[in-house]
Amino acid sequence: MEATAASGPIPFQLQFDKPFTFQIKIAEWNPEKDLLAMVTEDSKNGKLLRSIKSHNVAVVCLNWEEDTQLMRGDNNYTYEDRTMRFFPPAPRIPRMPGLGSGDTGLMDDPVDTFQDFSNSSHQRFNILCSGDKDGFICFSIFGIFPIGKINIHILAVSSPYLDNQATYQLQNASIQKFGFYVTQLRNCLLIGTVALQASSIEDLIEVVRASLSVMSKQWSDTMTTFHEKFDSLSSLIVDHGLESNSQDEFLSLLFGARTSPALHQFLVNSLGEVGLKRVSKAVDNAGKELHAIVHEHLQPAVEIIGFRIGELKGLSRWRARYQTIGLDEKLIDSATEKAGMLHVQLERFSRVLATVLYQFQNFFNWVAKCIKILLSDPTDQIQPPNSELVVIFLKFLRDHDRVGQLLEVNHTIDVDPDTKQRVEQLVMFGGFSDTKFLERTLANEFSQLEQCLKEAFLMPFTTISKKIHCEDLLPLYPLPSSPVASSLHGPTSIFYYKDNLDSTPHDLVDYICFRIPDESMDLTNCVGIIRGSTNTSSSIEDQREIVLLLNEANSTSESPGRSWMMMIQTSDLSFMPLSRLGPANLWKLHELKASALDLHIENGKVRCIPHRVTNPLAVSASRGVACVFSSRRHALVYILDEDEEETSDME
């Protein structure tokens, strides 16, 4: 199809023109058509909502697909998510202390993007497909939960050969574009049910991980401030030639002994009332921050994780259905126990934190009273300290950070023999089978839960990956064997339409639009359109439209020329049947060279763009908008079903 200029084209309406500072490589509308996902060369731009670690090399193409049927239909397969009945909205990731808005980089002001999926029990689920340069194609429901992976280099392709089926394997292949649609509603519902819970769990796991990180940093900074102030006493003891230590000096003062010159200098000059108030306020603020994170973020997340794992546990017991997609009951049982242990660890952390904070406050009150006495100031406004607790603090807490230990991964907690025995006895009454969980820290318990969930969610991924097969092969055009030809990239688009809302997945009609390289078939500016490559039915009378992005061929470096975005009706095109007999007659598009249609600007609705545009072109059919990217690094979004005066854009 060759495009030539003509007078009086009808322009599309320009919705907005936004400049950007980075190179766009891939752009795809999400199924709701309200978010344009882009892959850029500079990953520091934009806001990171999800990080999917499915690829080890660069991603070369993306594709969002939406299930074509609501998650309903046969009542035998209907699932209702009950989590929202019992819990408020899921907690968000806490902000790192000391940072203002905009300082947290890509994760600034994180939003709970999974909430839209959880608000209703019967949802359509979206699948994000991503392909990399090594030939791997990964599938993730909601763009979060990976459900499968294939490699085109080892994929067996079944295709008709004469009267039989032959199996082929691709050699020296690379991914340009891909698309798919779902044909088995039952398996879709089962996978979607598991993904609904698993995706939420992974969201909440991120909340727990970030909460523990924030708590650890907050408490570590506070303890550093405390020791910077109080460790100076050791230096003063050495300077005065004393053979005691800080603990002995404080205990001597507590028991009524004469204050040593080193301790007197420390309390009156080095620390003083101002320094003591500053340290006391720092510890108090850290305690409040940690309590707030536990009650507002960490505890709600752990509770909802336990509930959602319980939902998966109930599903895993339905072996006849859910074992077919890899939901393993034993692995889910192990994750359920780990979630319960994490909840117990969180309760212990809260009690230890409250005890330690009270011990610190009591110690600071005693030190403040001592400073007042040394300065001959009245002490009636200071709360009387508990001397026994001061002794406990000096012996067991001053140099042993119990709160910090619970936030470390590689630390073992000492448990007394009586407690160990009681935990072992509880196993007979349904207690945890792992009786050594109290020896682990809160951070260690979280790591073990994360590992259990990883193993449990890997089973559906592995099981479904083995069930993904390629059913047919349709060669499009040949390429000459040359290094230049191997690097050619033909823009390709794949999409599916239904005749009506009652259509089944088998009634979908697929369209494949692709640019045929000039070196392939001795044609210039040729675009191929294939309809129904996976469906032999051609009785659908559709009024579909195809959007083309065209650049002027006579442009130069001094005059880069203009571009055109053109929309044509598929009903104006004549489709011819293609027969596929196998390798003997592989490239059937040669048969269509004589029936090629010359396309002119006046054949369709056209928008003139006063500068050259580059790939990609992202079209949202349901919203009727298209996004293009210009060579001057602007993103332009056009409304395809509305017109405007062209002069506004040409200016």
Side-chain angles (χ1 to χ4, degrees), residues 94-140:
R95 184 183 298 275
M96 186 68 71
L99 296 180
S101 179
D103 294 336
T104 54
L106 294 175
M107 293 304 292
D108 185 33
D109 297 328
V111 294
D112 184 16
T113 55
F114 187 81
Q115 184 176 357
D116 293 338
F117 299 111
S118 338
N119 286 337
S120 177
S121 304
H122 308 289
Q123 292 283 351
R124 298 188 182 193
F125 63 92
N126 308 320
I127 301 179
L128 175 64
C129 311
S130 54
D132 62 35
K133 65 179 184 180
D134 283 350
F136 284 98
I137 301 176
C138 300
F139 307 90
S140 303

Side-chain angles (χ1 to χ4, degrees), residues 436-625:
K436 296 183 179 181
F437 70 95
L438 290 180
E439 299 178 9
R440 296 191 290 267
T441 64
L442 175 63
N444 193 350
E445 199 66 63
F446 169 70
S447 298
Q448 294 210 6
L449 171 62
E450 196 174 15
Q451 182 62 31
C452 283
L453 291 173
K454 182 179 179 180
E455 294 176 0
F457 296 156
L458 184 61
M459 286 297 294
F461 176 85
T462 304
T463 303
I464 296 173
S465 296
K466 296 178 180 179
K467 297 183 178 181
I468 299 177
H469 303 286
C470 184
E471 296 184 354
D472 200 357
L473 176 67
L474 175 62
L476 297 181
Y477 48 82
L479 287 176
S481 300
S482 65
V484 177
S486 62
S487 62
L488 292 176
H489 173 74
T492 306
S493 178
I494 305 174
F495 45 94
Y496 302 89
Y497 286 111
K498 290 195 302 181
D499 185 22
N500 53 64
L501 295 178
D502 297 329
S503 299
T504 65
H506 295 283
D507 294 328
L508 289 171
V509 174
D510 60 291
Y511 286 83
I512 303 176
C513 302
F514 53 95
R515 162 93 184 270
I516 301 177
D518 298 342
E519 298 83 357
S520 175
M521 298 175 59
D522 298 328
L523 294 174
T524 304
N525 276 352
C526 186
V527 177
I529 302 175
I530 297 178
R531 182 179 70 178
S533 64
T534 60
N535 192 331
T536 58
S537 173
S538 60
S539 61
I540 298 178
E541 297 181 359
D542 51 58
Q543 295 294 328
R544 305 301 178 188
E545 296 160 329
I546 295 176
V547 180
L548 301 177
L549 193 60
L550 311 173
N551 280 321
E552 283 186 342
N554 57 354
S555 60
T556 62
S557 58
E558 293 80 11
S559 177
R562 298 176 296 176
S563 298
W564 305 84
M565 186 164 59
M566 183 177 184
M567 186 164 62
I568 60 175
Q569 297 281 345
T570 57
S571 58
D572 297 337
L573 305 177
S574 59
F575 290 91
M576 299 181 62
L578 287 178
S579 60
R580 287 175 284 173
L581 300 179
N585 285 316
L586 195 61
W587 311 108
K588 304 301 295 182
L589 289 182
H590 281 291
E591 302 175 0
L592 303 181
K593 291 177 61 175
S595 60
L597 173 67
D598 290 334
L599 182 64
H600 301 278
I601 292 296
E602 61 269 16
N603 294 135
K605 187 177 181 180
V606 178
R607 174 75 193 213
C608 179
I609 304 173
H611 36 262
R612 291 182 66 83
V613 295
T614 60
N615 289 327
L617 166 66
V619 179
S620 168
S622 62
R623 288 173 60 91
V625 296

Side-chain angles (χ1 to χ4, degrees), residues 40 55 60 72 135 149 202 224 233 281 309 312 320 383 415 433 443 508 524 540 579 623:
T40 70
H55 298 277
V60 296
R72 54 179 176 83
K149 176 188 286 189
E202 293 191 355
T224 300
L233 176 58
K281 184 177 181 181
I309 294 178
L312 290 177
Q383 183 179 357
V415 182
S433 59
L508 289 171
T524 304
I540 298 178
S579 60
R623 288 173 60 91

